[in-house]
Amino acid sequence: VPVQTVSEQSVISQSDFITFHIPFNEGEKSPVDAAMISRMKKGVGLVNCSRGGVISEADLLAALQSGQVAFAGLDVFEKEPPVNMEILQHPHVSLSPHVGGSTKEAQNRISIELAEKVIEFFKNA
């Protein structure tokens, strides 16, 4: 099947499952909020592979309770450690540890950055 480029609105309104892989900075408004969720196909499954706060937890919980969202997969939360027990205990939410930094490549990069910081420290000592 050839890859097809479509608009964000097409993805949002036609997809059965949507995964989010987008940048997000603390203090920004959640891009995945009640307004966006309301444009999604009823019974959609959502997976946040980004940062906590990309999906508004309050809006996600309301959408889960109404059936607009059938399933959510989360490994990050608006506040960490997570405080919203309703999300953590919801039967249609799957939780997993956030292990993006556990790849060989990430560990290699962390090792190099740490070594550079130690060298810089002793140069300035």
Side-chain angles (χ1 to χ4, degrees), residues 99-112:
V99 293
S102 296
T103 64
K104 287 180 184 180
E105 295 82 3
Q107 290 300 307
N108 186 45
R109 191 181 74 209
I110 291 167
S111 298
I112 291 168

Side-chain angles (χ1 to χ4, degrees), residues 25-70:
N25 294 314
E26 189 175 327
E28 292 179 355
K29 181 184 177 302
S30 296
V32 183
D33 59 6
M36 180 183 280
I37 293 169
S38 72
R39 295 191 314 266
M40 294 177 184
K41 190 184 236 185
K42 185 166 178 70
V44 68
L46 302 180
V47 178
N48 184 6
C49 299
S50 303
R51 300 277 180 230
V54 165
I55 300 176
S56 163
E57 290 177 12
D59 295 345
L60 174 60
L61 185 58
L64 285 161
Q65 292 168 339
S66 74
Q68 178 66 21
V69 172

